[in-house]
Amino acid sequence: MSTSASSTAPSVAPMPSVSPRDLAPGVIGMALVGSSVTVSRSLVGAPLFASQAVRYAAAALILIALARVAGVPLLRPRGREWLWLAGIAGTGLVLFNVAVVRGVAHAEPAVIAVAVASVPILLGLVGPLLEGGRPSRRVLLAAPVVVAGAVLVEGTGRTDAAGVGWAALALACEAGFTLLAVPVLGRHGAWGVSVHAVWLGAVMLAGLAVFTERPVSGTASGPVSGPAAFAAGLGSLTGGQWAAVGYLAVLVTAVAFLLWYRTVAAVGSGRAGLLTGVAPLAAAGAGMLGGGAAPGPAVWLGLAVVIAGLALGLRGGDARA
């Protein structure tokens, strides 16, 4: 009895197409993240750790309340899950926001946004490995296209050596925000990962605010530090800075986190990573709404390139590396 070559050749399962319903949350989440780059400029002169600690504490309370209303159970982390969740909080929340706020003091928001948009390459390579698979050829081809379109949208921008360093840190932290969530999304889901990462980030930032923020002077008893400086720093925030903290807490944290992790769980980190190309588009739009100039030809060309890259990476096809 003979066996044909086609019957013995290993079959390669095609990569299934993804539903727009699964992608929509990630697109909205990345749009909110992109807008945060412009909003964060108003916090350059604010006490960084104190303002961000309030942001994440408020977001944690909002998420917990919404989870109870929705009837979503929040599981207690166990074992190594604490390390993964602390890693998300330390990189994707604490260090990322330090990089953004400090970075825009040395560079235009465009530079930071382009760094964030470069995440697809890292996620396309590392994400599938963490999920027990192999990088998709289609995603690896699409990732540089998305990055190229994002660079066209935002341009190189004004920066210095420090700005480049902060942008590189923002890139690494944005990748860590997704990659470190892969091992815990299965048990905790988008709700659990979001809640635990946010409250852990709030605790870390509050500790940094108490022990590292500069003492506040001008009181009757002289300079103060520690918890008193933390409270005094919050008291120094202007109305516009409080508005920025509120926007970041509600939309960029509570809402965007849930939306993003829902898409990562549905389509995988490699494909979801392509959606980070939406962030610089949103940053450009937010800058224009804030009084910036209308997009030029390079921006429209970049938009077309990003869309082409997303279409290439998100449709079904050969899943081989």
Side-chain angles (χ1 to χ4, degrees):
M1 183 174 65
S2 62
T3 304
S4 65
S6 60
S7 64
T8 58
S11 61
V12 178
M15 175 180 282
S17 298
V18 295
S19 167
R21 181 188 244 170
D22 293 329
L23 295 175
V27 171
I28 298 172
M30 273 298 115
L32 292 171
V33 170
S35 69
S36 71
V37 176
T38 300
V39 174
S40 295
R41 296 196 75 172
S42 62
L43 297 177
V44 169
L48 174 59
F49 297 134
S51 60
Q52 295 294 336
V54 170
R55 164 193 174 180
Y56 287 114
L61 294 176
I62 293 171
L63 285 169
I64 292 171
L66 290 176
R68 288 188 176 182
V69 171
V72 178
L74 298 175
L75 304 178
R76 179 185 176 89
R78 61 191 182 190
R80 293 184 179 179
E81 291 176 349
W82 285 107
L83 297 178
W84 293 112
L85 293 167
I88 297 170
T91 59
L93 278 64
V94 178
L95 285 178
F96 177 78
N97 283 284
V98 171
V100 169
V101 175
R102 293 292 183 244
V104 294
H106 293 269
E108 295 176 0
V111 177
I112 308 300
V114 166
V116 173
S118 301
V119 168
I121 294 177
L122 289 179
L123 296 187
L125 285 171
V126 182
L129 299 177
L130 292 177
E131 294 162 350
R134 292 183 301 168
S136 160
R137 176 189 300 169
R138 192 177 296 281
V139 171
L140 292 180
L141 291 174
V145 177
V146 173
V147 172
V151 172
L152 282 172
V153 170
E154 291 291 357
T156 53
R158 174 196 58 80
T159 186
D160 55 20
V164 172
W166 288 119
L169 180 59
L171 166 63
C173 291
E174 180 67 12
F177 177 74
T178 298
L179 295 175
L180 295 175
V182 171
V184 289
L185 269 174
R187 179 169 179 260
H188 291 275
W191 283 94
V193 172
S194 298
V195 168
H196 291 306
V198 168
W199 76 256
L200 283 169
V203 171
M204 293 177 185
L205 287 161
L208 288 170
V210 170
F211 293 108
T212 67
E213 298 268 42
R214 279 193 246 171
V216 178
S217 60
T219 63
S221 57
V224 295
S225 58
F230 179 83
L234 294 180
S236 68
L237 295 178
T238 65
Q241 289 171 335
W242 275 114
V245 170
Y247 179 88
L248 295 172
V250 177
L251 293 178
V252 182
T253 306
V255 174
F257 280 28
L258 285 176
L259 295 175
W260 178 249
Y261 283 135
R262 179 178 173 182
T263 292
V264 172
V267 307
S269 59
R271 278 180 156 183
L274 296 175
L275 299 180
T276 57
V278 174
L281 304 180
M288 188 172 63
L289 291 176
V299 173
W300 294 112
L301 176 60
L303 174 60
V305 173
V306 168
I307 293 173
L310 293 176
L312 171 64
L314 296 176
R315 68 187 180 91
D318 189 352
R320 287 177 293 185

